[in-house]
Amino acid sequence: MATIIPTMAATIERRLLVNYRVDPAVAGELLPQGLRPQLIDGNAVAGVCLIRLGAFRPAWAGPEIGHRSENAAHRIAVEWDSPTGPRTGVYIPRRHSASRLARLVGGRVFPGVHRRARITSRETDAEISVYIDADDLRVRVDARLAPDEAFRSGLFPSLASASDFFRKDAVGWSPTRNGSLEGLRLDTDAWRVEAATIDTLESSFFDGLPAGSAEFDDVLVMRRVPARWSSPSDAAPVAGVGAAPRRRP
């Protein structure tokens, strides 16, 4: 049975969305049965979300009791068929966290199994660096904030179109400890993204895919955004052993 959670609240202190263009056949091999990649001009869209949350707590509680954590989630934009027609969201094959609490409750009392990672970040108003070191993963990102007009992408014609694409996919599906899927919905009344450029980018997840099948596309930054998380109203698109990925990098 899916985990039903009370609405939770936090401030997204920093969120880096590092996005890749991926061969759709390769992306499809990473997905459970029942999910398929969303395509833009024949490309699948995937990436890693590097997020620091502040004051994470039940929505009814004050921020002073909240928990702060550094986390990472590898994501693939997906679609699936529902009784009311096609739906879109993201599939999250791997979550990592530097927070012992997040690892303890993730996949038990809160959706999303989190693996242990050491996450180091350094930030100024103009630059953001994040390094992730885990048993099964290495990620390094050095990014610089840029004017909106400096945004460059092979997937999106403008920063606004990139923002709209990622905002619509509010529901993320993650594999549970028993192989089914459980969902988590993110909502905010203050969605806003900023453009950035990349100085350094390393990802063992994407670098481990077949040569030439994953290419960096763009990076987006969110800072100081209040948000809420809740259980989605959608039924999980797949369940049971069929949720196992077809391929694991």
Side-chain angles (χ1 to χ4, degrees):
M1 180 179 295
T3 302
I4 305 298
I5 64 168
T7 300
M8 306 294 288
T11 296
I12 298 174
E13 296 182 348
R14 178 260 297 139
R15 187 188 194 199
L16 276 176
L17 283 173
V18 183
N19 303 310
Y20 287 75
R21 302 184 300 273
V22 181
D23 182 306
V26 172
E29 291 180 351
L30 301 172
L31 300 177
Q33 297 291 335
L35 296 178
R36 56 186 179 270
Q38 288 189 60
L39 300 183
I40 298 179
D41 293 333
N43 296 289
V45 183
V48 57
C49 168
L50 307 174
I51 187 169
R52 185 176 68 243
L53 297 177
F56 187 77
R57 66 202 186 276
W60 52 262
E64 63 276 2
I65 73 164
H67 178 68
R68 195 168 190 241
S69 64
E70 283 271 15
N71 311 281
H74 283 77
R75 304 149 36 99
I76 304 168
V78 295
E79 59 185 23
W80 65 92
D81 296 320
S82 77
T84 58
R87 303 297 299 270
T88 64
V90 295
Y91 174 65
I92 306 166
R94 296 194 193 183
R95 292 182 183 271
H96 290 78
S97 182
S99 165
R100 186 174 300 175
L101 178 63
R103 298 195 302 270
L104 177 65
V105 303
R108 294 184 174 93
V109 299
F110 193 82
V113 177
H114 290 70
R115 305 182 191 188
R116 180 177 180 272
R118 294 167 292 280
I119 303 179
T120 305
S121 63
R122 178 180 55 82
E123 302 175 36
T124 68
D125 288 342
E127 299 180 345
I128 302 173
S129 296
V130 182
Y131 177 68
I132 301 173
D133 182 16
D135 291 341
D136 61 337
L137 190 78
R138 299 290 187 278
V139 176
R140 180 182 175 186
V141 178
D142 296 318
R144 288 180 291 165
L145 276 292
D148 290 355
E149 58 270 21
F151 177 76
R152 297 291 183 271
S153 167
L155 293 169
F156 308 106
S158 66
L159 179 65
S161 64
S163 175
D164 290 345
F165 179 86
F166 292 106
R167 184 173 191 176
K168 72 176 172 56
D169 292 333
V171 175
W173 298 103
S174 301
T176 65
R177 298 177 189 276
N178 65 8
S180 61
L181 289 185
E182 57 187 357
L184 191 62
R185 180 180 179 87
L186 182 155
D187 290 289
T188 178
D189 297 326
W191 178 278
R192 58 183 179 273
V193 301
E194 301 173 82
T197 59
I198 286 287
D199 290 331
T200 305
L201 175 60
E202 300 172 7
S203 166
S204 61
F205 183 92
F206 289 105
D207 295 343
L209 297 178
S213 64
E215 297 183 1
F216 167 73
D217 187 79
D218 64 87
V219 58
L220 305 174
V221 180
M222 300 178 71
R223 296 187 292 182
R224 299 179 289 277
V225 173
R228 301 174 304 280
W229 288 262
S230 59
S231 296
S233 58
D234 311 59
V238 286
V241 295
R246 302 168 200 161
R247 179 182 183 275
R248 190 180 301 275

